[in-house]
Amino acid sequence: MKSLISCLALAVAVTFSGLSQAENLPDLKGRTIVAVTENAYTPLNFVDPTTGEGIGWEYDAMNEIARRLNAKVDWQLSSWDTMIQGVKQGQYDIGMDGITINAERAQQIDFSIPYMTSQQFMLVRADETRFDDAKSFAANKDLQFGAQPGTTNFYVAVYDVLDGNEDNPRITLLETFGASVQALKTGDVDSVLMDATSARGYIGANPGAFKIVGGPLGTEDFGFILTPGSDLRQPINAAIMSMQKDGTMDALNQKWFFDYNQHH
């Protein structure tokens, strides 16, 4: 989920919806693409509190990809724990939820080229003073992570911060990413790992509630997932590359990681 997130300040504020195609792209002749997300990963995909509709970076990106390819998007919702299987079985054509490209998942589904590169950071309450990095967190056995099972956030907590034991009782498992952040806010857990994009989103949406401590705990590429062997992979890759070349990705970053946070 573009250049590194740390470089987003260089993003140009252009209107992405009106940008012309950088090159000739495949024509899908009005085909409907069934896309699935979770609506629980601000600012990539979440529910607009005023309209109840799904919005976010990934919605805008996928809608623009479809526009460039002369296709329509049929948006569906799925929980994280069933999304990959649903795409694998062809229930959906394409899935997105800040999904990290890795070898294990690539055995089950196809990935697009990366549309975003991110790093994991420790989000904590703004008044936290007991630790200031991963090492001091790991050293204090009273401290708890909140994490959604099977996610990059969970695995980084296990292998990059704690002892490599996936059953470590210092990780409180929660059903959604948003629930992990709420548990942090209420003091039920002491840190949630997330990419810098989402961390900025939550900090911006909750002034004075959160902060980031320590440095990055790894770099990951986000990709769309597709049914194995999908004929959509190459057209979608071509559209992503055209959006990277003509500034559309930078404009999306500006809209969702800066402008949105400043007004919410």
Side-chain angles (χ1 to χ4, degrees):
M1 8 181 121
K2 129 189 155 165
S3 57
L4 286 174
I5 298 299
S6 60
C7 296
L8 280 176
L10 300 177
V12 292
V14 295
T15 304
F16 59 88
S17 60
L19 290 168
S20 61
Q21 293 181 198
E23 57 193 84
N24 291 326
L25 294 172
D27 185 348
L28 298 184
K29 302 184 185 305
R31 175 175 172 177
T32 296
I33 299 172
V34 181
V36 63
T37 190
E38 188 185 14
N39 276 2
Y41 200 173
T42 306
L44 298 182
N45 59 78
F46 61 106
V47 177
D48 186 333
T50 59
T51 67
E53 298 295 317
I55 60 172
W57 193 103
E58 289 174 334
Y59 275 97
D60 281 357
M62 188 63 228
N63 287 334
E64 177 64 11
I65 287 169
R67 186 189 73 79
R68 294 182 182 218
L69 298 175
N70 187 22
K72 300 180 179 66
V73 184
D74 175 10
W75 285 101
Q76 302 288 323
L77 295 177
S78 167
S79 63
W80 162 255
D81 57 359
T82 62
M83 186 181 299
I84 291 178
Q85 191 65 21
V87 173
K88 177 182 178 181
Q89 295 174 346
Q91 182 179 354
Y92 315 107
D93 296 316
I94 186 168
M96 61 210 72
D97 199 22
I99 301 174
T100 301
I101 298 172
N102 64 34
E104 180 181 358
R105 290 172 183 158
Q107 292 178 355
Q108 303 181 63
I109 41 79
D110 285 349
F111 276 104
S112 71
I113 60 172
Y115 61 84
M116 187 174 288
T117 300
S118 188
Q119 296 174 307
Q120 294 290 301
F121 288 86
M122 297 180 74
L123 188 74
V124 303
R125 289 181 295 280
D127 60 357
E128 182 59 72
T129 58
R130 294 167 297 172
F131 62 97
D132 56 13
D133 58 16
K135 184 176 180 179
S136 53
F137 181 97
N140 187 337
K141 298 188 184 303
D142 293 331
L143 301 176
Q144 285 282 123
F145 273 123
Q148 191 178 7
T151 62
T152 297
N153 318 72
F154 170 80
Y155 292 118
V156 171
V158 170
Y159 294 103
D160 290 40
V161 181
L162 299 177
D163 59 1
N165 175 14
E166 293 185 15
D167 295 319
N168 193 311
R170 292 183 60 186
I171 302 179
T172 298
L173 299 178
L174 295 133
E175 290 187 1
T176 68
F177 190 72
S180 298
V181 178
Q182 185 60 30
L184 174 62
K185 192 172 186 177
T186 58
D188 295 323
V189 301
D190 303 298
S191 181
V192 175
L193 290 178
M194 63 180 68
D195 59 275
T197 64
S198 290
R200 286 197 182 102
Y202 280 108
I203 290 171
N206 300 271
F210 302 117
K211 65 182 179 181
I212 292 173
V213 298
L217 295 171
T219 299
E220 61 198 21
D221 289 328
F222 294 161
F224 298 115
I225 60 172
L226 299 110
T227 305
S230 173
D231 64 347
L232 289 171
R233 186 167 180 260
Q234 292 307 319
I236 285 171
N237 283 347
I240 292 171
M241 287 188 285
S242 77
M243 292 164 68
Q244 290 169 337
K245 289 177 182 177
D246 69 14
T248 300
M249 292 304 195
D250 284 339
L252 284 173
N253 295 338
Q254 179 71 33
K255 175 182 177 181
W256 289 107
F257 304 144
F258 294 100
D259 296 345
Y260 181 82
N261 291 339
Q262 290 173 4
H263 295 97
H264 293 76

